[in-house]
Amino acid sequence: MIRQDLRNAWRALVSRPSFSLMAALSLAIGIGANTAVFSLWNSVARAPLPGVADPGSLVMLTDPAASGSWHGAWATRTDGPRAWISYSEFEQFRDQAASFLSLMAAQSTLDTWQARVDHGQPEPLRGRLVSGSFFDVLGVVPAAGRLFTRDHDGVPRAEALVSHGFWQRRLGGRLDAIGHTVIVRDTPITIIGVTPAGFAGESGGQQPDLWLPLRMQPMVLPGADWLHEQPPDKVMWLQVFGRLRAGVTPAQAEAEANTLLERNLAAFYSTVAPERRAALLDQHVRIQSGARGVSSTLQQFFSSVSTLFAAVAILLSMACANLANLLLARGTARRGELAIRLSLGATRGQLLRQVFVESALLAAAGGVMAIGVAEALHEGLVRLLQASDPQLTVTFTTSVPVLLFTVVATAAAALASGVLPAWHLSRTDAGVHMAEARRGLTGSARDVRSGRWVVAAQLALALPLLVGAGLLVQTIINLRQPDLGFRSDGLLLARVNLGRLVQDTAGQNRALRALVARLSEIPDVERVSFSQLGLLSDGRSTAAFTVEGSLRPQERPSDGALDRVAPDYFATLGIPVIGGRDIESRDDAGAARVTVVNLAFASRFFGNGAAVGHRVVVGEPTGERTSYTIVGVAADAHTHALRGAAEPRFYVPAEQRPSAAATRTLLVRTRLALPALHARLLDVVAQVDPEISVTDVMSTPTRIARLTGEERALAQLATVFGIVAVALAALGLYGVLAFGVSRRTQEIAVRLALGAQSHRVVGMILSENLALVAAAIGAGSVLAVFASRLLRTQLYGIAADDPFTLAGAVSLMLMVATLAIYLPARRASRIEPMAALRQV
């Protein structure tokens, strides 16, 4: 029986190839878009770590959504579990925690090193530092060579493992690649093994080229010793995974780990002032599943993926609605045939089954084509993530979850698109429809009304997509010329690593002064300065301070943002100094300590009063207090984050407050092009001190472009989805109205024969349908207002409920709908009355 239904459905679809292809393509777009988004979400958020043995039994002691590090005495998390742990804490957990069968540690960030393979030309390689137990805990079997062992946690060993992809791409997949050399920061490192294909480490989505032992940190990341902490400065930079012993629960392991951590912290902070020590001891770790590894990208892009899910779900709903209308129109055209079949003894159940089989075949064809659509869309979706995280690697694979999702989406589409036609078919009256067939009628008024309401729903669903696209496009326009509070044109940024000079404060100061002076001498370079945190880096450095003479009482010290900057910092950026002066060359290590505060800082503590001359007193971890005299107030500027209001911040001369951070960002105001400055910069750095290395050079617009990559990609996708949604709605409306007008051919012919003017016929059809369009747009506007709230975190310079964007989307939708109504109305007004009446 089913086989016969399939044969009949196949013949019916093949006999109308245009109809079948249009219906299948409509579904392919909807199902494919949903599959692509699901594949991305599954790869980043849900899929277990690839290439890892039994990932479900892995546990983490750190935050899987955290990426970065935290250095300094104030590196504490009193408001939740620790994001990372230090190397000494890892050693203590590894050696003393009986709850764990084994533990491993990995650097929480994926670094890019300028390296040379076999003494070749420098090239960027992505690498991560890991403990000797890293591969053993993850259950990795090498594709070639050998792995790290616990011995690599002893003395430093200049050895590396390379990824299977790097082995194939760069080393030709040769077995004799074992033993070759990679030079990182003048340190020759021997390749001892190759990881298996598909293995990416503990961070799904990020593919390192090589892994190095943690003990090599001072050699490949010189300038600070992250392996040996000196109180009160903590260095928290490691993600830690492990496997529990049989019979041990996560709660028991967590309790033991926190006991060990409490003991470690008590000893480490024993010399800290008592009033600060209590807060520093308020830290803990939390045991959680490590099956999916580290995935900071998920948290960063969760709202974007949610928005995309909503958008593609709307597209699929609209595609189903279009298919339902197509099947409804086709079924209505076949009413006479179906009535004859009923009169000859066919049951309604047989007819209903036939309609469902046809919709299932169309949905299946759409589902098969959807795999290709999903693969094509996936590349654009990955670019959305890579715009802000270039190191992310996500591939589209037709895995079991993805295929299962596609099957479920296809079944849902078949069901959704077949219900309305089947319901209408169940109400078929053989006698009535045979009579209609004899009179040349192709369907009832009820059929037309049903199709129009389906199209109205499509119009209502399309409007939120159009509004979202408009908001995101406006955001991109605003981000091209953001109001940063400083001049971004002609400002180049160069990040430099001080290497071992960080351990020599006097030598560091001399080198940086010489570097600024030499760069300032280059023709077409107007000004040069530097900052510890850089520009628009989202970097953060805080200190507990009090403000003498503040209008706001301070019961305890405030935690405030600070940055260490070089002379002429504000002049170089073009930030106006409202009162007082800029930081100058005389503000060196031997001079009286000074600070410049921004307007937000001055307003917070002094209102409209003068801030210059007052002092900011910073509490040090040792209990000492350092006083900085305010010598200037600068205008607010977005120097550290692109979004939000400028936070209260004070800036201190770099030489007056040394930092253990290994990098500084040079700020160069110049008329030179980036390549020319880059070449001169490399020459100057080599002359000043070979220990300093340049790690990144870019223009400020490029930096802004990196920060806004997510918004640009999301705007492009939203625009595409919005256009597709409007096109689907317009085609659906056109199809339904064309069907409705064809059914009213005799009525219109009579009107024209009795003297009605063509423009009146057009006006009649427009007026009858624009009321429905207006109702659909009204409902869509309400949906758009609520849906646009999902985009709040992606918007810049425009409100989520911007009335002009909504008005523009409504106007565009109204114009498209009017055109879709006008075309069949115009065609109807041009029919020949007598020819049409002869068909009666």
Side-chain angles (χ1 to χ4, degrees):
M1 187 179 297
I2 295 297
R3 185 179 302 175
Q4 181 64 37
D5 289 335
L6 286 172
R7 281 199 296 266
N8 292 337
W10 175 254
R11 291 195 199 99
L13 295 178
V14 170
S15 66
R16 296 174 177 261
S18 298
F19 165 84
S20 303
L21 182 62
M22 182 182 300
L25 282 176
S26 179
L27 283 180
I29 293 173
I31 298 173
N34 278 269
T35 301
V37 174
F38 175 80
S39 173
L40 176 67
W41 177 77
N42 182 68
S43 298
V44 177
R46 302 293 301 175
L49 287 172
V52 173
D54 190 18
S57 67
L58 284 174
V59 295
M60 289 189 67
L61 283 76
T62 45
D63 185 355
S67 176
S69 60
W70 206 343
H71 300 187
W74 309 110
T76 179
R77 288 290 301 275
T78 58
D79 59 343
R82 285 272 290 272
W84 313 281
I85 68 172
S86 69
Y87 186 76
S88 65
E89 292 164 352
F90 162 67
E91 288 186 312
Q92 186 177 31
F93 290 149
R94 181 195 62 196
D95 299 337
Q96 300 180 29
S99 299
F100 298 94
L101 186 65
S102 55
L103 284 171
M104 69 80 167
Q107 182 184 1
S108 67
T109 56
L110 184 62
D111 275 329
T112 299
W113 299 318
Q114 290 296 321
R116 290 180 291 152
V117 179
D118 288 335
H119 304 279
Q121 294 298 315
E123 58 184 285
L125 297 183
R126 296 180 296 184
R128 179 170 270 125
L129 297 166
V130 299
S131 67
S133 55
F134 179 82
F135 296 100
D136 179 59
V137 170
L138 296 181
V140 176
V141 177
R146 57 188 174 88
L147 304 172
F148 296 156
T149 67
R150 178 71 178 268
D151 293 338
H152 286 81
D153 290 335
V155 296
R157 292 190 177 189
E159 297 179 337
L161 270 91
V162 297
S163 69
H164 192 275
F166 179 80
W167 181 48
Q168 294 287 333
R169 182 183 69 253
R170 187 65 180 79
L171 303 174
R174 304 188 310 271
L175 290 178
D176 62 1
I178 306 300
H180 283 226
T181 301
V182 177
I183 300 175
V184 180
R185 293 193 65 87
D186 297 326
T187 300
I189 302 171
T190 302
I191 298 174
I192 65 169
V194 179
T195 60
F199 176 75
E202 82 296 346
S203 178
Q206 288 187 336
Q207 178 63 71
D209 295 314
L210 68 161
W211 290 265
L212 305 179
L214 281 174
R215 280 288 181 178
M216 292 194 64
Q217 179 270 318
M219 286 168 271
V220 298
L221 297 173
D225 187 354
W226 295 357
L227 304 177
H228 304 92
E229 302 169 306
Q230 296 297 323
D233 290 337
K234 272 280 181 188
V235 184
M236 298 189 288
W237 61 297
L238 298 175
Q239 294 278 11
V240 175
F241 287 71
R243 295 185 189 271
L244 300 178
R245 292 188 182 278
V248 177
T249 66
Q252 292 170 333
E254 184 175 305
E256 182 188 22
N258 280 311
T259 299
L260 292 173
L261 178 62
E262 183 180 352
R263 189 184 307 162
N264 180 291
L265 296 175
F268 188 83
Y269 292 122
S270 60
T271 60
V272 175
E275 62 271 16
R276 182 59 178 165
R277 187 167 181 264
L280 291 171
L281 294 178
D282 185 16
Q283 304 183 50
H284 65 280
V285 296
R286 183 163 63 91
I287 301 291
Q288 50 195 314
S289 173
R292 299 184 184 98
V294 178
S295 183
S296 59
T297 304
L298 171 65
Q299 298 299 322
Q300 183 179 357
F301 293 99
F302 181 77
S303 60
S304 296
V305 175
S306 299
T307 302
L308 288 176
F309 255 132
V312 296
I314 291 174
L315 281 184
L316 181 56
S317 300
M318 296 181 68
C320 291
N322 260 6
L323 179 57
N325 263 337
L326 287 172
L327 289 174
L328 181 64
R330 187 170 182 273
T332 301
R334 296 170 59 193
R335 280 293 179 90
E337 169 205 339
L338 297 176
I340 293 173
R341 292 176 63 183
L342 282 173
S343 65
L344 294 177
T347 66
R348 295 185 185 275
Q350 289 174 327
L351 298 183
L352 289 174
R353 191 172 63 244
Q354 184 67 44
V355 172
F356 272 116
V357 168
E358 287 187 19
S359 65
L361 276 180
L362 287 171
V368 172
M369 290 190 291
I371 297 297
V373 174
E375 190 167 356
L377 284 176
H378 190 269
E379 183 179 351
L381 296 175
V382 171
R383 282 202 301 269
L384 183 151
L385 298 181
Q386 290 177 333
S388 293
D389 186 0
Q391 297 170 332
L392 181 72
T393 303
V394 181
T395 57
F396 178 81
T397 57
T398 52
S399 60
V400 172
V402 173
L403 289 176
L404 183 61
F405 178 86
T406 306
V407 170
V408 171
T410 302
L415 184 63
S417 58
V419 166
L420 182 63
W423 178 76
H424 272 274
L425 187 60
S426 69
R427 304 177 68 186
T428 297
D429 184 282
V432 170
H433 291 291
M434 289 180 68
E436 285 184 347
R438 287 193 298 270
R439 295 197 307 270
L441 296 179
T442 56
S444 68
R446 184 182 70 239
D447 301 326
V448 178
R449 286 196 299 271
S450 299
R452 291 173 62 202
W453 282 113
V454 172
V455 171
Q458 286 183 283
L459 292 171
L461 290 173
L463 193 58
L465 290 183
L466 203 56
V467 170
L471 291 172
L472 289 168
V473 169
Q474 187 62 45
T475 290
I476 297 306
I477 295 173
N478 294 339
L479 286 171
R480 287 178 180 172
Q481 293 182 331
D483 183 12
L484 300 172
F486 64 87
R487 288 174 48 212
S488 61
D489 58 298
L491 183 63
L492 302 183
L493 316 176
R495 197 152 184 84
V496 295
N497 190 304
L498 301 176
R500 294 180 178 85
L501 285 175
V502 172
Q503 302 170 7
D504 177 9
T505 301
Q508 172 193 143
N509 291 339
R510 286 193 300 271
L512 287 171
R513 281 199 300 269
L515 191 57
V516 169
R518 294 280 186 89
L519 288 173
S520 300
E521 294 171 357
I522 298 175
D524 291 325
V525 171
E526 300 173 5
R527 290 184 181 273
V528 182
S529 187
F530 68 80
S531 160
Q532 177 203 339
L533 296 180
L535 193 67
L536 298 173
S537 66
D538 279 327
R540 185 167 180 81
S541 179
T542 61
F545 66 90
T546 57
V547 180
E548 294 184 354
S550 170
L551 298 180
R552 299 182 59 178
Q554 291 178 267
E555 297 180 359
R556 60 178 184 175
S558 301
D559 277 337
L562 70 90
D563 197 0
R564 299 166 174 87
V565 300
D568 295 330
Y569 173 80
F570 297 99
T572 301
L573 292 182
I575 300 175
V577 177
I578 301 171
R581 63 175 177 86
D582 199 340
I583 290 173
E584 301 174 351
S585 57
R586 57 178 164 159
D587 300 318
D588 56 20
R593 288 182 170 85
V594 299
T595 181
V596 173
V597 302
N598 65 357
L599 186 60
F601 186 101
S603 299
R604 176 180 176 183
F605 292 102
F606 302 103
N608 295 325
V612 175
H614 292 280
R615 292 190 296 176
V616 178
V617 182
V618 178
E620 307 295 348
T622 58
E624 299 178 355
R625 294 163 63 84
T626 305
S627 180
Y628 297 87
T629 301
I630 300 175
V631 296
V633 177
D636 290 333
H638 291 276
T639 55
H640 295 82
L642 190 60
R643 299 179 181 279
E647 64 178 331
R649 184 178 297 273
F650 65 103
Y651 302 81
V652 299
E655 293 190 12
Q656 294 187 359
R657 192 173 182 84
S659 170
T663 60
R664 303 289 186 274
T665 298
L666 293 170
L667 311 168
V668 184
R669 176 73 63 184
T670 179
R671 292 185 294 274
L672 288 173
L674 183 63
L677 178 69
H678 195 176
R680 299 296 297 271
L681 175 62
L682 293 176
D683 291 339
V684 170
V685 167
Q687 295 169 13
V688 170
D689 197 314
E691 184 62 33
I692 301 176
S693 62
V694 180
T695 60
D696 201 7
V697 181
M698 72 179 73
S699 66
T700 303
T702 299
R703 176 62 187 158
I704 295 173
R706 287 189 183 181
L707 291 175
T708 59
E710 177 190 358
E711 287 83 356
R712 291 199 311 276
L714 189 60
Q716 293 168 359
L717 290 170
T719 302
V720 171
F721 291 160
I723 292 172
V724 172
V726 172
L728 287 174
L731 288 174
L733 181 61
Y734 175 83
V736 167
L737 291 178
F739 168 67
V741 168
S742 67
R743 186 184 177 279
R744 298 172 64 185
T745 299
Q746 286 77 19
E747 173 200 340
I748 295 172
V750 170
R751 290 177 180 272
L752 292 173
L754 294 177
Q757 300 295 317
S758 296
H759 68 273
R760 291 189 177 277
V761 172
V762 172
M764 175 190 70
I765 297 176
L766 282 173
S767 62
E768 289 175 353
N769 291 281
L770 282 178
L772 181 67
V773 170
I777 289 178
S781 299
V782 175
L783 289 176
V785 170
F786 286 100
S788 61
R789 296 177 182 177
L790 293 173
L791 297 174
R792 282 180 176 173
T793 57
Q794 279 84 30
L795 301 182
Y796 179 86
I798 189 170
D801 55 354
D802 179 59
F804 297 103
T805 302
L806 179 60
V810 167
S811 300
L812 178 60
M813 183 68 74
L814 189 58
M815 285 190 296
V816 171
T818 301
L819 181 62
I821 298 171
Y822 174 75
L823 291 177
R826 182 171 176 270
R827 187 172 63 248
S829 69
R830 294 187 172 185
I831 64 175
E832 178 61 40
M834 297 309 297
L837 290 173
R838 288 194 195 101
Q839 300 176 10
V840 178

